[in-house]
Amino acid sequence: MHAIRLHAFGPAENLRYESVPDPAPGPGQVRIAVAAAGVHLIDTAIRQGLPGPYPTPELPTTPGREVAGTVEALGAEVDPAWLGKHVVVHLGTAPGGYAALAVTDSARLHEIPANLDPAEAVAMIGTGRTTLGILQFTELGPDSVALVTAAAGGIGTLLVQYAKNAGAYVIGLAGGSEKTARVTANGADLAVDYLRPGWPELVRAHRPTVVFDGVGGETARAAVDLLGKGGQHLIYGFPGGPVTTSPQEQDERGITSQLVLGPPMLQRAGGDLRVLEDRSLAEAAAGRLLPAVQRFPLADAAAAHRALETRATMGKVVLVP
């Protein structure tokens, strides 16, 4: 089969499209003919050898932890009913998704809802579960004003939809006219180009009640400054650098700031990320959440990484073998 292999940590060009032996499923495992593989910003950090929430892999390695496709082979002790099923799975801490074939434990599998294609299913098994995990920390309704950073991205797209469905007034931040047009089309009440000087003045009168912060840096700091009394700052990413508010500032302004990824999210989900995966797929199957997807050929994984790192993408980035 063909797979993307990383032999040395470093730039995107280190991702190589190579021919490797087919993997064999072990006891309790299945082999999936991959139709779509998710690309995550964490993948780019792992590729560089940076520390993060996942262990540093031994090299060479095949990156990727989100795949969808068809079960084509079974290991021992696997229910034969899985053979031929269209499935989606988050591989957890075991990489191997950037490939034509991937092996995983059968206990991790979800059947793909009939109205989702593999790329959309991949978006929901990773990005979707994270979105619903973030939303555990707030209650949105008609009195809410939700400010979504990176609103044209994978998580941002779903946050905008969820908030709008809940009746909130939704403000989406994105960089450039093409992305803000996408945010408007996705249902935001106000789409703002954060690359334009003075953008906070377009938002100030609306007084956000919650800031969904996936970017950090100056943009996030300006967004937090717009929060009204009782407002929430929910942090789920900070590629621009972390933005923190001191206990004194939080007390004086009557706001809260919280990192919601990792143990806090898992605790809210009852200690089981599969709960969020099930909810995510159900929301997509019902048409309430519709993921945005940007596809790249598997062989162009390096280009996908470069585009993601330079914020040149819209929606969830997916590799297609």
Side-chain angles (χ1 to χ4, degrees), residues 1-4 20 32-37 62-63 67 96-102 298 319 321:
M1 71 167 185
H2 281 95
I4 298 297
V20 298
I32 300 169
V34 177
T62 295
V67 299
Y98 294 10
L101 299 170
L298 176 63
L319 301 176

Side-chain angles (χ1 to χ4, degrees), residues 188-307:
D189 297 285
L190 176 64
V192 177
D193 183 354
Y194 68 81
L195 299 177
R196 296 174 66 92
W199 68 262
E201 296 310 312
L202 301 175
V203 177
R204 193 175 306 280
H206 299 285
R207 190 57 72 184
T209 62
V210 57
V211 170
F212 293 101
D213 177 13
V215 298
E218 294 181 2
T219 300
R221 180 68 255 185
V224 171
D225 288 344
L226 296 168
L227 276 173
K229 187 174 182 179
Q232 291 179 283
H233 174 212
L234 300 180
I235 306 165
Y236 60 93
F238 35 84
V243 171
T244 59
T245 52
S246 67
Q248 180 180 355
E249 180 185 356
Q250 293 183 44
D251 288 342
E252 290 176 351
R253 296 180 55 197
I255 64 173
T256 60
S257 183
Q258 185 175 9
L259 177 66
V260 298
L261 286 185
M265 181 182 294
L266 187 59
Q267 184 177 13
R268 289 286 178 103
D272 187 358
L273 286 174
R274 190 176 178 89
V275 171
L276 298 177
E277 294 172 358
D278 286 335
R279 291 177 188 168
S280 175
L281 291 169
E283 288 293 303
R288 290 185 291 267
L289 294 180
L290 304 173
V293 175
Q294 185 168 344
R295 296 167 173 83
F296 288 79
L298 176 63
D300 291 342
H305 271 226
R306 284 193 297 269

Side-chain angles (χ1 to χ4, degrees), residues 23 25 29-37 66-74 80-89 99-104 109-112 116-119 121-122 321:
Q29 294 185 321
V30 302
R31 185 169 69 200
I32 300 169
V34 177
E66 306 157 347
V67 299
T70 304
V71 176
E72 60 135 52
L74 308 177
W82 280 115
L83 192 63
K85 294 283 189 183
H86 300 303
V87 298
V88 62
V89 59
L101 299 170
V103 167
T104 189
L109 299 176
H110 300 264
E111 266 197 84
I112 298 176
L116 294 185
D117 69 25
V122 158

